[in-house]
Amino acid sequence: MNRGAHMNPSKGFPDTLVQAALDDALSAGSRLPLLAITGLQGSGKSTLAAQVVEAAARRGLRAATLSIDDVYLTRAERRELAHRRHPLLETRGPPGSHDLALALRTLDALAAGEPTLLPRFDKLSDDRHRPDRWTRVDHPLDLVVVEGWFLGTPPESEAALLTPINTLERDEDADGRWRRAVNESLGRDYPALWQRFDRLWYLQAPGFEIVPEWRWQQEQALQAAEPGRKGMTREQVERFVQFYERVSRQAMRTLPGIADRTVQLDEQRTAQPD
């Protein structure tokens, strides 16, 4: 690869990588190919997804993105879940906090070529946008790009859940009920979505330790885009990423052997040579 092939995704992934992802998806042979892009928080998933959609448009193709973040359960639904099962289930992000029926209905409608509303979630208010703020797709598509932080990740073994891996699990999930609920949902509910993927690309972070910094950068960008609204503090971000840590580490262990392509990133999110 040439030097330009390793650009930092804050300025965009290299066009060679973008074109390779697009070509890979289109080669799947499906009537409506579905490219899944996964990677830990802040790894550049939405950046790459947007670039693939733009590259498709330059070829005269219609494409759209759907983030798993946009099909979170509503705030009220997560509060009810927390009341019924475990207080930690109110926090969005981990498996079990998504409306998978909504995701599958949306993909079914797109596959049928029907006019479709793509759900959208507001992270600053921690709730789903009203449907009048969702993205409307009026024409049949040639490609769908789904992005999310744990796409394709399998559940852990029961034995792996026994020992807490961070202070959140130790202090707020001492009996392991929350992490078992998350793991059970990952194994039971999410394969129906994973099976829709024609291709899975994995952006591999250098280690989980970089995630708090990447997620803080995301939070700052969200707040800069809407300066009148309040987001998370640095301390809240540090706690927030602990909700993701267990499944993130499972993704890092397993996805290189599952994904159709793994793209290695350094701490600046720069794609490394194969």
Side-chain angles (χ1 to χ4, degrees), residues 133-166:
R133 297 193 63 186
W134 294 8
T135 300
R136 185 173 182 85
V137 176
D138 289 316
H139 304 285
L141 297 177
D142 301 296
L143 173 69
V144 176
V145 183
V146 176
E147 58 96 355
W149 70 275
F150 67 101
L151 304 184
T153 303
E156 290 185 279
S157 68
E158 185 70 22
L161 304 175
L162 295 177
T163 304
I165 64 170
N166 55 35

Side-chain angles (χ1 to χ4, degrees), residues 5-271:
H6 313 306
M7 279 173 54
N8 187 306
S10 64
K11 300 178 181 178
F13 281 96
D15 189 60
T16 51
L17 186 66
V18 175
Q19 297 298 334
L22 177 56
D23 289 338
D24 192 27
L26 296 177
S27 71
S30 301
R31 193 198 68 76
L32 179 59
L34 199 162
L35 169 65
I37 299 174
T38 192
L40 302 191
Q41 289 179 294
S43 58
K45 302 177 298 296
S46 58
T47 297
L48 180 57
Q51 287 184 267
V52 170
V53 168
E54 292 168 1
R58 292 195 296 271
R59 297 191 193 183
L61 303 173
R62 290 193 178 104
T65 62
L66 177 67
S67 172
I68 198 168
D69 290 356
D70 285 322
V71 294
Y72 284 132
L73 295 169
T74 65
R75 195 171 188 177
E77 289 169 333
R78 285 179 281 118
R79 282 176 173 167
E80 194 276 331
L81 188 63
H83 178 73
R84 281 193 296 110
R85 300 198 62 187
H86 194 286
L88 292 180
L89 291 171
E90 183 175 345
T91 299
R92 72 175 191 263
S97 64
H98 301 90
D99 187 338
L100 293 174
L102 173 60
L104 295 173
R105 286 198 308 271
T106 302
L107 293 176
D108 285 343
L110 292 174
E114 301 170 356
T116 307
L117 289 174
L118 303 182
R120 295 296 182 236
F121 191 88
D122 180 8
K123 291 183 177 178
L124 288 180
S125 68
D126 192 25
D127 211 348
R128 196 181 297 162
H129 278 303
R130 300 187 311 271
D132 62 0
R133 297 193 63 186
W134 294 8
T135 300
R136 185 173 182 85
V137 176
D138 289 316
H139 304 285
L141 297 177
D142 301 296
L143 173 69
V144 176
V145 183
V146 176
E147 58 96 355
W149 70 275
F150 67 101
L151 304 184
T153 303
E156 290 185 279
S157 68
E158 185 70 22
L161 304 175
L162 295 177
T163 304
I165 64 170
N166 55 35
T167 56
L168 177 80
E169 292 190 357
R170 184 194 67 205
D171 298 343
E172 301 181 52
D173 186 40
D175 61 4
R177 285 191 302 118
W178 170 71
R179 56 187 179 268
R180 283 197 299 273
V182 168
N183 196 59
E184 288 168 5
S185 180
L186 180 59
R188 179 188 64 235
D189 303 327
Y190 288 79
L193 178 59
W194 302 168
Q195 291 165 9
R196 303 294 184 98
F197 302 159
D198 291 295
R199 295 288 188 271
L200 176 63
W201 278 48
Y202 173 44
L203 304 178
Q204 187 174 44
F208 183 80
E209 294 71 23
I210 194 65
V211 171
E213 178 61 30
W214 284 357
R215 184 58 186 82
W216 175 237
Q217 292 171 8
Q218 284 185 315
E219 188 67 22
Q220 290 177 301
L222 286 170
Q223 294 180 37
E226 299 186 61
R229 303 178 66 192
K230 184 179 180 180
M232 287 189 283
T233 65
R234 181 64 187 257
E235 291 73 22
Q236 288 171 325
V237 167
E238 294 282 349
R239 180 176 185 272
F240 184 57
V241 297
Q242 291 189 44
F243 283 83
Y244 293 74
E245 183 172 357
R246 178 173 290 276
V247 178
S248 293
R249 292 188 182 279
Q250 172 71 346
M252 295 181 71
R253 285 190 295 268
T254 60
L255 286 181
I258 294 172
D260 295 288
R261 180 163 175 181
T262 296
V263 179
Q264 300 280 349
L265 305 178
D266 66 12
E267 293 185 355
Q268 286 73 45
R269 305 180 187 83
T270 304

